[in-house]
Amino acid sequence: MTTVDRLSLGNEEFEGNNSSYVLRGEGETVLIDTGVSTPETRDGFVSGLEGVGVSVSEVDAVFLTHWHADHSGLAGFVQEESGAPVYVHEDDAALVAGDDAAWKAMDDRQRRLLDDWGVPDGPRDELLGFIESTSDVYGKPPEVKEFGDGAVFEGAGTELEAVAAPGHTAGLTCYGVANEVFTGDALLPVYTPNVGGADVRVEKPLASYLDSLVRLAGRGFGRAYPGHRNPIEEPSRRAVEILEHHRDRARRVVDVLRKDGPLDAWEVGARLFGDLSGIHILHGPGESYAHLEHMERAGTVSSFRDGTVRYEVDDPEALDDAFPSL
């Protein structure tokens, strides 16, 4: 029999406490996700493991849902202490492994998009300073083992199925275990994961995420263990709720453009989310961009370049066709 214990780990840098999961069975211990690599979180992680009767050196494998530091930051520490392999989807693997070329390519694209989105100099400088000041939370990069969608692993007395759920990041992967699923940030119980800014490498970010929601809803899992907060007892229902949330947000974007357009992604984000600070200077216009890009391909809005990329409403009736029905 496989048991599951949840470790709640402190996280001051991003979105609040993280959940790391400890699976045990048949003499093996598997981790799904770790926390940020700060001394405080590492201490909490070690004591949390000890609280469920496990030492770091006893971990047999680590499975990461995605590359963000609040999920991957301590993977290198665990590997160093235990020798455990660290598994991550091939589309996020280079970032987790600390590949310089991959990080530079993302940084270059991020800066180009900040220009396109119209992020002003002051918030832009604040954002880049925040990113630089938190770079150490990624910790020592582990050696990683890459896999693709549908891969199946054996560990802790059970099978783990890799269920790709891109959108929040390019390689975000859920792990199905029997009738339950570990979702990282693909499904969250209270707020919705950012798309557009959280991983600027993702092409068609909102479309990718909507497809992931449809996929998760269709699997009919009985319970989800998310990367933040408590378990989700009806994950299919939650997936539908998040999909409808994005449909409603798209309608709000259309209303903003009708009232005040043409606007760029920063200006739309300011009207939707108000003042932004820290990482949200990236996430706010990124979320707006994800919706604008999605609606442009559906014919709801069109864009033109006037210093920044600006959007205006073309055919609001085309909006509903851009969102799947469940």
Side-chain angles (χ1 to χ4, degrees):
M1 177 181 177
T2 301
T3 63
V4 177
D5 289 293
R6 170 180 170 241
L7 308 182
S8 183
L9 305 175
N11 176 6
E12 298 294 328
E13 287 73 19
F14 299 106
E15 298 292 350
N17 282 11
N18 279 81
S19 295
S20 174
Y21 297 97
V22 186
L23 282 63
R24 286 177 291 174
E26 296 186 2
E28 292 184 337
T29 299
V30 165
L31 285 181
I32 297 179
D33 279 350
T34 70
V36 293
S37 183
T38 64
E40 297 80 10
T41 299
R42 184 177 64 190
D43 290 346
F45 174 74
V46 171
S47 63
L49 281 176
E50 291 174 347
V52 298
V54 177
S55 70
V56 179
S57 63
E58 293 174 317
V59 173
D60 294 293
V62 179
F63 292 88
L64 300 178
T65 58
H66 59 296
W67 63 266
H68 288 159
D70 53 337
H71 298 262
S72 68
L74 289 171
F77 164 70
V78 174
Q79 186 175 75
E80 188 173 58
E81 294 290 313
S82 66
V86 174
Y87 295 93
V88 61
H89 189 279
E90 58 194 2
D91 289 342
D92 279 8
L95 294 176
V96 174
D99 181 81
D100 289 340
W103 278 98
K104 184 179 187 307
M106 186 172 67
D107 180 67
D108 290 345
R109 179 168 174 77
Q110 186 170 277
R111 289 171 184 266
R112 289 195 301 271
L113 285 173
L114 293 176
D115 289 338
D116 287 348
W117 296 345
V119 179
D121 289 345
R124 179 190 177 103
D125 291 344
E126 179 185 340
L127 170 66
L128 296 177
F130 174 84
I131 292 173
E132 177 65 26
S133 70
T134 57
S135 61
D136 59 341
V137 299
Y138 286 90
K140 178 181 178 179
E143 294 183 8
V144 301
K145 292 184 177 292
E146 303 180 17
F147 61 84
D149 183 29
V152 177
F153 306 92
E154 292 187 2
T158 191
E159 285 190 346
L160 295 85
E161 176 196 359
V163 181
H168 183 63
T169 75
L172 197 151
T173 298
C174 304
Y175 296 99
V177 177
N179 192 40
E180 300 178 330
V181 62
F182 296 83
T183 60
D185 286 352
L187 284 184
L188 297 172
V190 177
Y191 56 90
T192 59
N194 180 261
V195 291
D199 187 343
V200 296
R201 304 172 305 147
V202 182
E203 299 293 336
K204 303 178 183 178
L206 184 55
S208 296
Y209 185 49
L210 296 177
D211 287 345
S212 295
L213 291 172
V214 170
R215 186 180 196 189
L216 289 170
R219 288 294 299 265
F221 290 109
R223 174 181 293 176
Y225 295 99
H228 302 264
R229 301 181 185 251
N230 296 322
I232 301 168
E233 297 302 331
E234 297 182 75
S236 293
R237 178 178 178 182
R238 180 58 180 154
V240 173
E241 289 175 352
I242 296 174
L243 192 153
E244 290 304 314
H245 162 84
H246 282 291
R247 190 194 306 271
D248 290 342
R249 176 161 286 168
R251 292 186 180 122
R252 290 180 61 201
V253 171
V254 169
D255 289 342
V256 164
L257 291 177
R258 281 174 142 177
K259 179 176 181 290
D260 297 332
L263 301 174
D264 58 35
W266 174 260
E267 292 166 334
V268 171
R271 285 157 176 80
L272 292 179
F273 310 119
D275 293 336
L276 300 170
S277 62
I279 197 64
H280 298 291
I281 296 170
L282 175 63
H283 287 178
E287 185 87 18
S288 300
Y289 162 74
H291 283 78
L292 291 163
E293 185 271 342
H294 186 65
M295 289 191 290
E296 183 169 24
R297 285 187 293 103
T300 305
V301 304
S302 61
S303 69
F304 62 95
R305 184 175 289 277
D306 181 17
T308 60
V309 178
R310 296 184 171 273
Y311 298 83
E312 55 191 355
V313 178
D314 272 2
D315 181 9
E317 300 303 320
L319 186 149
D320 282 338
D321 292 339
F323 290 83
S325 297
L326 291 175

